[in-house]
């Protein structure tokens, strides 16, 4: 009996981890998805940053791609555009920070709260 319970527990854990991994996998960045569905941002931010999609683009281009930061979770702090990019899965929020120099993207960082 203990052996069956152990096997059943193992199968349940593997299934749970598989479902979690599938639901939280990275997906390709899309401008429409980023702007319209905040729940997609945590899964898109890796693609956006690792493929350097914002490097050197204009402020206007960033606003077309990500939306203009305004009230709510996205904002402008000390000239940087700061976009909410999900949570770390525990307690901290994650942010996408876009820094400009002469109206062009100079730095993009995915940072915790």
């Amino acid at each position: 009996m203990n052996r069956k319970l152990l096997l059943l527990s193992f199968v349940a854990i593997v299934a749970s981890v598989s479902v979690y991994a599938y639901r939280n996998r990275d997906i390709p960045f899309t401008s429409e998805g980023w702007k319209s569905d905040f729940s997609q941002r945590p899964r898109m931010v890796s693609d956006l940053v690792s493929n350097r999609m914002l490097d050197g683009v204009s402020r206007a281009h960033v606003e077309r791609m990500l939306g203009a930061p305004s009230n709510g979770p996205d904002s402008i702090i000390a000239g940087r555009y700061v976009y909410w990019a999900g949570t770390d899965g525990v307690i901290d929020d994650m942010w996408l920070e876009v820094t400009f120099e002469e109206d062009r993207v100079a730095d993009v960082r995915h940072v915790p709260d």
Side-chain angles (χ1 to χ4, degrees), residues 4 37-38 41 49 60 67:
K4 286 183 181 180
D37 187 356
F38 280 56
R41 286 183 177 188
V49 173

Side-chain angles (χ1 to χ4, degrees), residues 19-53:
V19 168
Y20 177 82
Y22 176 78
R23 292 185 65 180
N24 292 294
R25 72 192 184 289
D26 289 343
I27 59 175
F29 170 83
T30 66
S31 179
E32 184 58 37
W34 180 271
K35 292 186 281 186
S36 67
D37 187 356
F38 280 56
S39 70
Q40 297 297 321
R41 286 183 177 188
R43 296 171 58 206
M44 289 182 182
V45 73
S46 178
D47 184 48
L48 181 67
V49 173
S50 65
N51 287 313
R52 306 173 65 97
M53 294 180 190

Side-chain angles (χ1 to χ4, degrees), residues 2 4-5 9 23 35 44 50 56 67 85 89 95 101 107 111:
N2 286 339
K4 286 183 181 180
L5 183 58
S9 297
R23 292 185 65 180
K35 292 186 281 186
M44 289 182 182
S50 65
W95 304 94
E101 286 181 13
D107 187 40
V111 296

Side-chain angles (χ1 to χ4, degrees), residues 29-31 33-38 40-42 44-45 48-49 54 57-77 79-87 92-100 105 107-113:
F29 170 83
T30 66
S31 179
W34 180 271
K35 292 186 281 186
S36 67
D37 187 356
F38 280 56
Q40 297 297 321
R41 286 183 177 188
M44 289 182 182
V45 73
L48 181 67
V49 173
L54 298 175
V57 302
S58 69
R59 186 181 304 264
H61 188 83
V62 170
E63 290 178 3
R64 282 192 301 275
M65 284 180 69
L66 306 178
S70 58
N71 295 331
D74 300 336
S75 58
I76 300 173
I77 300 173
R80 293 184 324 258
Y81 282 14
V82 181
Y83 297 90
W84 183 82
T87 66
D92 286 331
D93 285 319
M94 301 297 290
W95 304 94
L96 178 70
E97 292 183 359
V98 182
T99 304
F100 298 92
V105 172
D107 187 40
V108 177
R109 297 183 325 141
H110 184 211
V111 296
D113 210 5

